[in-house]
Amino acid sequence: MAAARQLGHDHRVTETSVILALVVITALAFDFTNGFHDTANAMATSIATKALRPKTAVALSGVLNLVGAFLSVEVALTVTNAVVKIQDKSGAPKAELLADGGSALLLIILAGLVGGIVWNLLTWLLGLPSSSSHALFGGLVGATLAGLGVAGVNWNGDGSKLDGVVGKVLLPAVISPVIAGAVAAVGTWVIFKITTGVAARFTEQGFRWGQIGSASLVSLAHGTNDAQKTMGVITLALIASGHWGDTENIPLWVKVSAAVAIALGTYLGGWRIIRTLGKGITDINPPQGTAAQSGAAAVILASSHLGFALSTTHVATGSVIGSGLGRPGAKVRWAVAGRMVLAWLITLPAAGLVGAAMWYIGDTVGGTAGALVVFTLLVLASGAMYLKSRTGKVDHENVNDDWDGAAPAAAGSSTPVPAAAH
Amino acid sequence: MHNLGFALDGAWQVLLAGLALGAGLPILFALGIRSLAWGAGSVAVDETGVTAGARRPAGTALGYTLFAVVIIGVLLGLTFIVASGFGYKLDFSNVVPTLVAK
């Protein structure tokens, strides 16, 4: 009798272990897409102005992301609390989700992560710099809506601080690009006033270093902010399935693997997005790049100091647009910027839809099989988008081609990344 | 609506800090570049080429001083990232930035 129960228990533990393993792999995959999706935020301007060679830029950014991820020893275990109610304030998972080895919670996390990854890959394919944090939050919100209903989502916080979907996602998304844009526009405008008439041998070299320095700061801040989110999600899954019990610390292997995943992703470089941000929005020169990255770095750091959640992507994009507005005679391609803003608007609901659909599929099939089906769907979708990206390839060799003069990609004129065929 | 209030409250602080550091430091940097060029006596150079001018050591010194200020600003930024990760924060209440435990 006891032996039978023991056997039954072991069987269940093994089942949850499979789901847990899928969650960990998927979380690291999300972290990887987070890395390559966001390389552009730090490095697009330096690549566009040739302050750094493309490969050097992504390598530098990757290393700084790795270092940044390890600097973030602050526990980010409550990361999901911003938008959904699956944890309590200490970071421990809600007790009602822990039946059956925590598989209810694991499925929500898995479905949410898949939503985030699919949206990240799709926007990368289209060359659109959308926010990875919004994709993750959107996926989680969608999966939670499907799994727990409307009450499971933290829409508006409890009124004591900036919180919830509105406070942590929607408002910062509207406000932060405007702030970053204003800062970069002011910086660019004054810099051009100051350096007019100064010999190029001084400005070229000087602003080259200004750009490298400010871009490095953005990379480091990115590693600290974004790698934490994945670490928090993985640790939550470990706690829910009973493999970790400490809400004060994150297991070392989680920290190392998340740091390596985001760094590798950054090094891979999302060339399509780098191209849009560096060449598509406006034509950037070194003083503008310096102003844009300094503005981005300052706004990101000031915000995290003040607990004002924002997306690195929105800030970087806002500051690039601002640097285009601030330079006398520069033009901003508003069609490109508009398409980007549209992508920002639909990031949350789109990732949410995928997250919700994945939850329903996983729940309908049920158990380990359900999780495996969801994971397989993710692999298929990723594979399809990767294959699609091979036509009209953008890489470190053609990332800087002229935006307007380039031949339309073989994939069709609907793609917003005009890349010359190589 | 409380969230909107919190957001706007945070927003203007971020804007001020952003302008001071994100626009201020690169502006100092640009001034440094201009000072260096002035110190080397070639500030008025046009497209036709370099006209040799008198060196002005004060300009060179001022240029490097401005660069130093910018580098200190960046280092403070770095300290800020690292410190908050390790449970410290930069405190500016005594003007001189000091690290205090959170």
Side-chain angles (χ1 to χ4, degrees):
Chain A
M1 201 54 190
R5 201 160 58 228
Q6 187 61 41
L7 199 65
H9 181 68
D10 277 346
H11 180 62
R12 204 167 64 219
V13 164
T14 326
E15 272 205 357
T16 339
S17 302
V18 174
I19 306 179
L20 177 67
L22 292 177
V23 169
V24 172
I25 294 169
T26 313
L28 291 175
F30 173 80
D31 204 23
F32 183 78
T33 65
N34 194 163
F36 80 74
H37 212 276
D38 291 1
T39 317
N41 296 341
M43 288 303 170
T45 61
S46 300
I47 291 172
T49 62
K50 305 195 171 65
L52 287 168
R53 281 186 303 139
K55 280 286 186 188
T56 318
V58 293
L60 175 64
S61 187
V63 169
L64 288 169
N65 265 280
L66 187 71
V67 174
F70 282 106
L71 293 180
S72 59
V73 294
E74 217 167 2
V75 181
L77 209 64
T78 53
V79 58
T80 71
N81 283 359
V83 291
V84 291
K85 299 172 184 167
I86 55 176
Q87 298 174 266
D88 63 24
K89 283 206 160 55
S90 71
K94 290 261 158 98
E96 59 267 31
L97 297 172
L98 290 183
D100 207 10
S103 55
L105 188 119
L106 291 182
L107 183 61
I108 290 178
I109 299 178
L110 180 66
L113 285 166
V114 171
I117 297 177
V118 168
W119 184 250
N120 262 355
L121 288 177
L122 187 66
T123 45
W124 159 74
L125 191 62
L126 297 171
L128 293 171
S130 67
S131 162
S132 300
S133 345
H134 280 204
L136 175 63
F137 285 153
L140 284 173
V141 168
T144 307
L145 270 177
L148 303 177
V150 181
V153 178
N154 179 8
W155 296 107
N156 215 358
D158 59 8
S160 63
K161 59 176 193 317
L162 200 59
D163 197 20
V165 175
V166 172
K168 291 268 190 192
V169 183
L170 299 183
L171 287 174
V174 176
I175 297 173
S176 63
V178 177
I179 296 179
V183 170
V186 170
T188 307
W189 190 78
V190 179
I191 287 175
F192 271 92
K193 287 282 166 202
I194 291 174
T195 53
T196 309
V198 174
R201 66 191 173 104
F202 291 103
T203 54
E204 295 274 307
Q205 200 59 21
F207 285 114
R208 181 166 176 250
W209 285 107
Q211 268 199 297
I212 296 172
S214 50
S216 300
L217 269 180
V218 175
S219 297
L220 199 66
H222 184 264
T224 21
N225 281 325
D226 282 27
Q228 271 196 356
K229 289 175 189 146
T230 307
M231 295 179 195
V233 168
I234 295 180
T235 310
L236 173 63
L238 291 174
I239 294 174
S241 56
H243 289 80
W244 185 259
D246 183 356
T247 54
E248 299 293 319
N249 288 295
I250 285 174
L252 181 66
W253 69 266
V254 172
K255 216 177 272 182
V256 173
S257 53
V260 170
I262 202 165
L264 282 178
T266 308
Y267 176 68
L268 182 74
W271 297 107
R272 290 164 176 272
I273 302 172
I274 293 175
R275 182 166 163 70
T276 305
L277 204 54
K279 301 295 284 185
I281 298 176
T282 185
D283 291 308
I284 291 179
N285 62 23
Q288 268 178 298
T290 307
Q293 295 311 135
S294 309
V299 169
I300 293 168
L301 290 178
S303 312
S304 58
H305 184 59
L306 296 164
F308 189 72
L310 43 67
S311 155
T312 342
T313 308
H314 295 157
V315 173
T317 317
S319 64
V320 167
I321 295 177
S323 76
L325 291 173
R327 176 180 143 207
K331 70 169 183 3
V332 174
R333 290 187 191 86
W334 289 109
V336 179
R339 199 157 41 215
M340 236 167 41
V341 171
L342 192 67
W344 294 356
L345 290 177
I346 54 179
T347 292
L348 198 77
L353 272 180
V354 180
M358 289 299 152
W359 188 89
Y360 280 122
I361 293 171
D363 188 58
T364 309
V365 179
T368 311
L372 278 169
V373 169
V374 169
F375 187 76
T376 311
L377 287 173
L378 170 67
V379 173
L380 290 177
S382 310
M385 282 189 273
Y386 174 75
L387 287 178
K388 179 86 177 156
S389 78
R390 306 301 291 175
T391 54
K393 196 175 171 202
V394 179
D395 62 13
H396 65 276
E397 294 188 347
N398 63 353
V399 66
N400 270 341
D401 288 357
D402 269 350
W403 185 265
D404 293 320
S413 52
S414 62
T415 166
V417 183
H422 271 246
Chain B
M1 287 316 278
H2 55 266
N3 262 325
L4 187 61
F6 288 125
L8 292 177
D9 195 39
W12 74 262
Q13 296 184 49
V14 173
L15 180 64
L16 284 187
L19 282 174
L21 298 170
L25 288 179
I27 287 171
L28 289 183
F29 190 74
L31 283 172
I33 289 176
R34 192 172 182 107
S35 300
L36 272 195
W38 186 74
S42 54
V43 71
V45 166
D46 54 45
E47 291 86 351
T48 56
V50 181
T51 354
R55 288 193 169 273
R56 304 183 184 92
T60 311
L62 178 65
Y64 283 112
T65 311
L66 286 167
F67 288 151
V69 172
V70 173
I71 289 171
I72 290 170
V74 172
L75 287 180
L76 277 179
L78 279 176
T79 315
F80 171 81
I81 304 180
V82 177
S84 65
F86 286 91
Y88 288 89
K89 63 177 182 135
L90 268 183
D91 183 37
F92 294 94
S93 50
N94 302 321
V95 183
V96 179
T98 37
L99 283 175
V100 290
K102 274 203 271 208

